[in-house]
Amino acid sequence: MFKQSLITFAITSAIFSSQASAAQLKGKVLDTYNQPVPNATVHLHGKSQSVKTDINGQFSINVDQDSQLHVSKDNFINERIDVSPDSPYVTVKLAPSSVESVVVYASALHKSNIEMASPVAVLSGDELKNSAKPTLGETLKQLPGINASYFGPVSSSPIIRGLDGPRVKITQNGLDSSDASRVGPDHANTNDSLAAQQIEVLRGPATLLYGSGAIGGVVNVVDNRIPTDVIEGVQGAAEFSHDTNSNTNTVAALLEAGNNGFNFHFDGVTRKGGDYDTPRFALPGEEHEDHDHDDEHEEHGHDEHAEEEHSETEYAERVANTFIDSEQFNIGTSFVGDHLTVGLSYARIETDYGIPAHSHEHHDHGDEHDHDGHDHDEHDHDDHDEHSEDEHDHAHGAEEESVFARVKQDRWQALFNYALHNNWIESIQIRAGFTDYEHAEIEHGAVGTKFTNETTELRTNIEHRLGEWHGIIGYHFSDSDYAAEGAEAFTPATNTKTHALYVLEERRFGDVTLELGARVEDFALSSNFTSGHDDHDEHDHDDHGHDEHDHEHEGHEDKHMAEVIDYTLDTTNFSASIGAVYDYTEGHNVAVNLSRSERAPLTAELLSNGLHIATSTYELGLGFHIEGDEVHFEPENIEQERSTNLDISLRRFIGDFGYTVNFFYNDVSNYYYQRNTGYMYTGEHGVELADHHHDGALPVYQFESADAELYGFEFDAHYQIDARNRIKVFGDHLRAELDSGEYLPRIPANKLGTSYRFELEDFAAELSAIHYMTQDKLAQSETKTDSYTLLNASFSYDFSVSGVDLVGYVNVDNITDELGFVHSSFIKEQAPLPGRNFKLGVRGYF
């Protein structure tokens, strides 16, 4: 009690020791030619809100304690100056940056991407709006070091340096998006790029702030659903665009209003489109299923003489069942005062989208039970009056057996920020969120499988200054209840709970900024499930009426008797990092970051035991072992995955020429990955060695762990030829292999790209070419992916009508209608990239 009283007294003293009086600091922001810089952001450390400079570059902000003023604007180098309530009129000069420079909200310390010790890429402004696609993976995949999992364009998640799924955390304003995209590649992420102000990609481990699920990186989607700046009056935007390839129409709207510190925000996006067209390609057939790496026709099936040699080969110019029908909105409100900012938001998502190559016609899953062995009621979902499967078949050309996903999500977020500005605590911030997510897979108008996830999350940061050190101390809590019911419930219901404490500190030593950080996380995963396949077999007999085989299968059922298992994995994950940024001369720096991260396996990696139709495999988790033709749950030797990662970044960001070059080396012990076991599975016979041939049998893939190395580089260089012309070159290279010398599966192909941009007053045009190289570094059962080049162009024109600022734009993707296949895709041969597409759009601001 005495210790708790001391802590309470210390916190109370800190809060009430902040000075009540505030002085108004005025100033001006200029560029290097002494011209005013309008719309620059002026932020006082410790406060959540900021102010913008006016058309003359002038600003006014309240200062109630000695602090640091942070002045930033996109594509300028940030400036920081010490201020106090007694400071006179200040003039701040911003130097232009030759590379994109944007403040990164995910950094937690108000740093720009060119100031951080770890590599960061940011997509924002009109560049983000013009390149926005329905999924994050497709929006970000042109960035160096970033690729997409590509389960069709409407279900595509980001891959960072070859890592995705449970190793890449997708967040929204710093809180987990809490969908089911980590369970399987056919599960779309629920973040829409059009609603974002900017999207930040933290390459490499980011576990200090975001937990063990960020061992490969973080994608943070930043929006203004809870306004943190004072809004005066009414402002907004609206946009309409049309994609010719898939006949997709997209409408987006934004409305914000405020008065006396009270603010309101609304944004919404609707998107509706059909299946997408591709250049002519051969559909995979039986000749593709034996994975013979030496047969070029099996690798892609698009040899121009294939039709002559394989007259039975079928060809297509459209990828079926890739439609999308989506509606979502965000609504939020806040109060922004001098010290206090509080806000609340609510978001709703309703999306139907097709799942290509996901048909039950040829797969004998033989089970309509959930993973706990309970009968699944096909009527426990909505009646589907709005979007029946028949409607989708007619509108989108889906095949009779096609499956589509119906996603619904309700998401609440809350923000509390109090700026103290005393001698050691700058601010206390609390972010909280609750997400209710549902992903239902619709077959014949009824729910076949339903995935749900309810997540509660809390993050508390205390920003402080201790002498020359500046940093944050925080607490992070997450509680996720995941469940799956139905034919494809290959993972059991689980509860995953984490408690974590973390600290991140920085200090300036002359031209060197040192960063230190550490995190301790208590991780607990618990599940109660049934292990065994007797339910599958019984259903097979009942459905198919194989009475004559009953006696034969009785022995099979006895060997696979169900066992109820109550399992808990409880472990402590520890992460630490040390980094430094050395500004060795004006406009140049070198950054070095060394990190050590740990994570435990998630549900799919640990407890999978079932048919995954989307990937045409039977999946087993780390906790299972195959003995003969029996599967046993024996999770005694589950070890944490540990990553030791080194990043070295070289940057030049001044003058007409600028670049960012990142080198990385990631040594991972106990790397979790899927491997072909050599067994096959059918609903009738269960798991058997591959030498038993049965129609419809699927390979059994199991998660294993082994030491691995991932290393490579990425670069991005700009040259501003003159005020109108700019060229850019970018690319990446990645190698990923096990210590045994085997390559890791589905590693993205290396890419090399260039772009040329021309601007003349209100007109802008850009031409880009990206070459994806041949991927012949193959894992077991993979086939080579040939190289291809995508040529893209964009044109935009700014104008105004009746006082409304407008932007009209035309984007042309894949100008040459090139046929390209994505090596990182589970359905590479069934879903090539879209062919030529024209996107026509207009955007207005008021």
Side-chain angles (χ1 to χ4, degrees):
M1 286 296 294
F2 179 70
K3 183 177 180 180
Q4 292 177 346
S5 299
L6 284 178
I7 294 174
T8 304
F9 176 76
I11 294 175
T12 306
S13 300
I15 293 176
F16 289 102
S17 64
S18 59
Q19 298 184 14
S21 60
Q24 194 171 65
L25 175 67
K26 295 184 178 182
K28 177 183 289 189
V29 180
L30 304 174
D31 63 18
T32 52
Y33 297 100
N34 290 322
Q35 296 300 307
V37 178
N39 207 38
T41 300
V42 182
H43 172 257
L44 200 67
H45 267 204
K47 294 191 176 182
S48 63
Q49 75 270 29
S50 57
V51 297
K52 299 285 188 180
T53 56
D54 61 19
I55 194 172
N56 298 312
Q58 296 181 340
F59 68 90
S60 177
I61 191 169
N62 289 332
V63 178
D64 49 21
Q65 182 70 26
D66 291 352
S67 186
Q68 189 177 75
L69 199 67
H70 180 198
V71 183
S72 63
K73 183 174 172 62
D74 289 358
N75 302 323
F76 282 83
I77 300 172
N78 291 1
E79 285 291 337
R80 292 175 171 82
I81 59 174
D82 294 328
V83 295
S84 70
D86 299 326
S87 294
Y89 188 89
V90 298
T91 299
V92 182
K93 285 196 173 183
L94 295 182
S97 172
S98 55
V99 300
E100 289 87 353
S101 174
V102 183
V103 174
V104 180
Y105 292 88
S107 71
L109 294 178
H110 323 292
K111 291 192 168 189
S112 74
N113 54 310
I114 60 176
E115 298 174 311
M116 294 183 63
S118 55
V120 180
V122 181
L123 199 60
S124 63
D126 286 338
E127 183 182 10
L128 169 59
K129 300 300 182 186
N130 293 340
S131 62
K133 299 291 194 300
T135 60
L136 287 178
E138 294 305 287
T139 300
L140 300 171
K141 69 180 184 181
Q142 295 186 10
L143 296 175
I146 315 301
N147 290 277
S149 60
Y150 199 74
F151 213 91
V154 296
S155 181
S156 183
S157 296
I159 300 174
I160 302 178
R161 295 175 172 176
L163 302 177
D164 65 345
R167 296 182 179 89
V168 172
K169 180 70 71 72
I170 310 295
T171 63
Q172 192 174 69
N173 299 317
L175 298 178
D176 198 328
S177 60
S178 302
D179 48 42
S181 58
R182 296 181 184 183
V183 175
D186 55 322
H187 292 218
N189 187 269
T190 54
N191 293 284
D192 195 290
S193 304
L194 275 178
Q197 291 180 321
Q198 66 186 50
I199 302 176
E200 306 163 347
V201 182
L202 279 65
R203 300 185 182 98
T207 56
L208 290 180
L209 297 178
Y210 296 99
S212 55
I215 201 169
V218 167
V219 176
N220 185 41
V221 180
V222 180
D223 59 35
N224 200 40
R225 64 180 62 189
I226 299 180
T228 56
D229 293 332
V230 174
I231 301 173
E232 295 294 345
V234 180
Q235 61 191 35
E239 178 174 0
F240 171 80
S241 66
H242 175 75
D243 290 85
T244 60
N245 182 294
S246 57
N247 195 30
T248 298
N249 292 321
T250 303
V251 179
L254 166 70
L255 177 66
E256 294 182 327
N259 184 41
N260 292 327
F262 290 93
N263 308 294
F264 169 80
H265 170 96
F266 169 84
D267 70 72
V269 178
T270 67
R271 182 181 283 109
K272 188 170 185 177
D275 299 339
Y276 72 89
D277 296 332
T278 73
R280 188 169 183 262
F281 72 102
L283 293 170
E286 293 298 324
E287 71 273 13
H288 295 275
E289 295 179 358
D290 58 6
H291 304 290
D292 182 359
H293 296 174
D294 296 326
D295 188 344
E296 292 297 321
H297 303 297
E298 292 173 8
E299 289 167 4
H300 292 310
H302 60 275
D303 188 287
E304 61 185 20
H305 303 296
E307 188 172 10
E308 297 178 8
E309 299 180 14
H310 300 284
S311 58
E312 74 280 4
T313 300
E314 295 184 25
Y315 289 83
E317 294 182 349
R318 172 174 294 183
V319 178
N321 201 31
T322 54
F323 70 88
I324 187 170
D325 188 352
S326 175
E327 295 182 357
Q328 56 183 285
F329 69 87
N330 302 307
I331 186 169
T333 185
S334 69
F335 170 76
V336 179
D338 199 33
H339 287 271
L340 178 67
T341 299
V342 292
L344 182 68
S345 70
Y346 169 74
R348 173 71 174 176
I349 296 173
E350 294 185 4
T351 299
D352 289 357
Y353 67 88
I355 307 176
H358 194 313
S359 171
H360 291 199
E361 183 176 7
H362 303 294
H363 301 301
D364 180 20
H365 50 78
D367 186 17
E368 296 297 333
H369 299 269
D370 64 30
H371 210 96
D372 295 327
H374 302 297
D375 290 331
H376 172 66
D377 183 0
E378 65 179 13
H379 303 292
D380 65 353
H381 199 62
D382 296 341
D383 292 332
H384 319 298
D385 291 335
E386 295 183 7
H387 303 291
S388 71
E389 187 176 18
D390 292 338
E391 289 175 343
H392 282 305
D393 291 346
H394 177 74
H396 306 291
E399 297 176 355
E400 184 179 354
E401 296 294 333
S402 295
V403 178
F404 71 90
R406 172 162 291 156
V407 174
K408 296 182 180 181
Q409 186 184 72
D410 295 289
R411 183 175 177 88
W412 294 88
Q413 287 188 356
L415 169 68
F416 169 89
N417 191 93
Y418 189 79
L420 284 76
H421 273 293
N422 64 20
N423 292 330
W424 58 286
I425 294 182
E426 291 191 342
S427 68
I428 299 174
Q429 183 182 95
I430 300 173
R431 284 190 179 273
F434 174 77
T435 304
D436 185 2
Y437 168 89
E438 178 183 293
H439 170 114
E441 297 186 356
I442 311 301
E443 310 168 35
H444 305 293
V447 176
T449 308
K450 182 168 67 174
F451 303 85
T452 60
N453 190 23
E454 288 189 1
T455 302
T456 303
E457 188 173 8
L458 175 71
R459 180 185 297 277
T460 301
N461 288 338
I462 300 176
E463 186 175 356
H464 60 269
R465 285 191 176 275
L466 301 174
E468 298 297 320
W469 291 90
H470 172 229
I472 59 170
I473 297 175
Y475 167 72
H476 185 199
F477 167 77
S478 176
D479 187 351
S480 174
D481 282 310
Y482 163 83
E485 300 175 350
E488 201 180 338
F490 60 95
T491 53
T494 57
N495 174 264
T496 305
K497 188 174 296 184
T498 62
H499 297 268
L501 295 173
Y502 54 88
V503 59
L504 180 63
E505 303 289 337
E506 67 170 5
R507 180 178 175 178
R508 185 83 174 176
F509 296 90
D511 294 328
V512 177
T513 301
L514 178 68
E515 291 186 8
L516 301 173
R519 177 187 179 102
V520 178
E521 175 184 275
D522 178 66
F523 175 94
L525 182 151
S526 58
S527 180
N528 185 286
F529 61 96
T530 301
S531 176
H533 304 292
D534 54 316
D535 289 336
H536 295 271
D537 298 327
E538 290 173 7
H539 185 84
D540 289 340
H541 311 325
D542 293 342
D543 278 359
H544 301 292
H546 293 169
D547 294 334
E548 66 273 24
H549 299 299
D550 283 351
H551 180 73
E552 174 187 346
H553 291 303
E554 283 176 3
H556 174 65
E557 292 173 12
D558 289 339
K559 291 190 296 183
H560 299 280
M561 290 301 293
E563 177 185 3
V564 178
I565 296 173
D566 188 3
Y567 176 73
T568 298
L569 174 65
D570 196 342
T571 187
T572 300
N573 299 316
F574 177 76
S575 301
S577 72
I578 178 171
V581 180
Y582 175 38
D583 299 304
Y584 59 91
T585 190
E586 184 182 4
H588 300 70
N589 68 32
V590 57
V592 180
N593 194 69
L594 177 65
S595 62
R596 170 87 168 167
S597 307
E598 295 179 341
R599 78 175 186 98
L602 297 186
T603 303
E605 298 167 308
L606 180 61
L607 301 177
S608 291
N609 183 15
L611 181 65
H612 194 180
I613 298 172
T615 59
S616 298
T617 60
Y618 189 93
E619 297 189 4
L620 284 175
L622 288 161
F624 292 90
H625 294 272
I626 303 176
E627 296 180 7
D629 61 349
E630 296 183 3
V631 176
H632 300 282
F633 184 66
E634 300 175 1
E636 287 82 11
N637 299 314
I638 304 299
E639 297 188 42
Q640 292 162 300
E641 184 177 281
R642 295 180 175 88
S643 166
T644 301
N645 187 86
L646 175 66
D647 278 295
I648 301 176
S649 301
L650 306 175
R651 306 178 182 126
R652 173 189 167 98
F653 44 88
I654 195 170
D656 295 328
F657 175 61
Y659 58 80
T660 300
V661 183
N662 304 316
F663 300 92
F664 64 91
Y665 175 79
N666 193 359
D667 185 15
V668 187
S669 60
N670 303 315
Y671 181 91
Y672 308 140
Y673 71 103
Q674 283 183 304
R675 185 180 182 88
N676 193 328
T677 62
Y679 286 80
M680 303 296 288
Y681 171 82
T682 60
E684 182 178 355
H685 298 91
V687 174
E688 293 183 322
L689 285 171
D691 54 7
H692 294 79
H693 298 287
H694 301 290
D695 291 339
L698 294 177
V700 177
Y701 276 76
Q702 181 167 20
F703 281 95
E704 296 184 1
S705 63
D707 295 345
E709 292 180 335
L710 299 92
Y711 55 92
F713 63 86
E714 58 235 359
F715 67 93
D716 188 343
H718 304 242
Y719 180 60
Q720 192 74 38
I721 302 172
D722 54 35
R724 297 179 179 176
N725 298 273
R726 187 201 69 185
I727 58 174
K728 178 179 177 181
V729 180
F730 56 93
D732 55 43
H733 175 82
L734 170 67
R735 290 289 293 270
E737 54 193 9
L738 300 172
D739 280 2
S740 64
E742 297 180 71
Y743 295 106
L744 290 175
R746 291 180 304 283
I747 294 301
N750 300 325
K751 63 176 178 281
L752 177 65
T754 184
S755 68
Y756 165 71
R757 183 173 179 83
F758 172 78
E759 296 181 2
L760 178 62
E761 296 179 348
D762 295 325
F763 174 78
E766 186 165 344
L767 180 67
S768 67
I770 305 178
H771 178 70
Y772 291 85
M773 302 178 189
T774 298
Q775 180 56 286
D776 54 8
K777 306 296 188 293
L778 306 176
Q780 182 189 37
S781 301
E782 286 188 339
T783 57
K784 186 181 75 172
T785 302
D786 291 337
S787 64
Y788 57 93
T789 301
L790 299 181
L791 188 65
N792 307 313
S794 64
F795 309 89
S796 65
Y797 182 71
D798 296 349
F799 61 102
S800 61
V801 175
S802 301
V804 177
D805 294 329
L806 298 168
V807 179
Y809 62 91
V810 178
N811 296 342
V812 189
D813 299 325
N814 196 2
I815 296 173
T816 60
D817 206 31
E818 178 95 350
L819 180 62
F821 294 83
V822 181
H823 188 77
S824 53
S825 173
F826 275 90
I827 55 171
K828 176 182 71 173
E829 295 181 343
Q830 298 153 295
L833 291 170
R836 184 184 302 111
N837 177 59
F838 292 86
K839 182 179 181 179
L840 314 175
V842 61
R843 186 181 309 119
Y845 303 90
F846 60 90

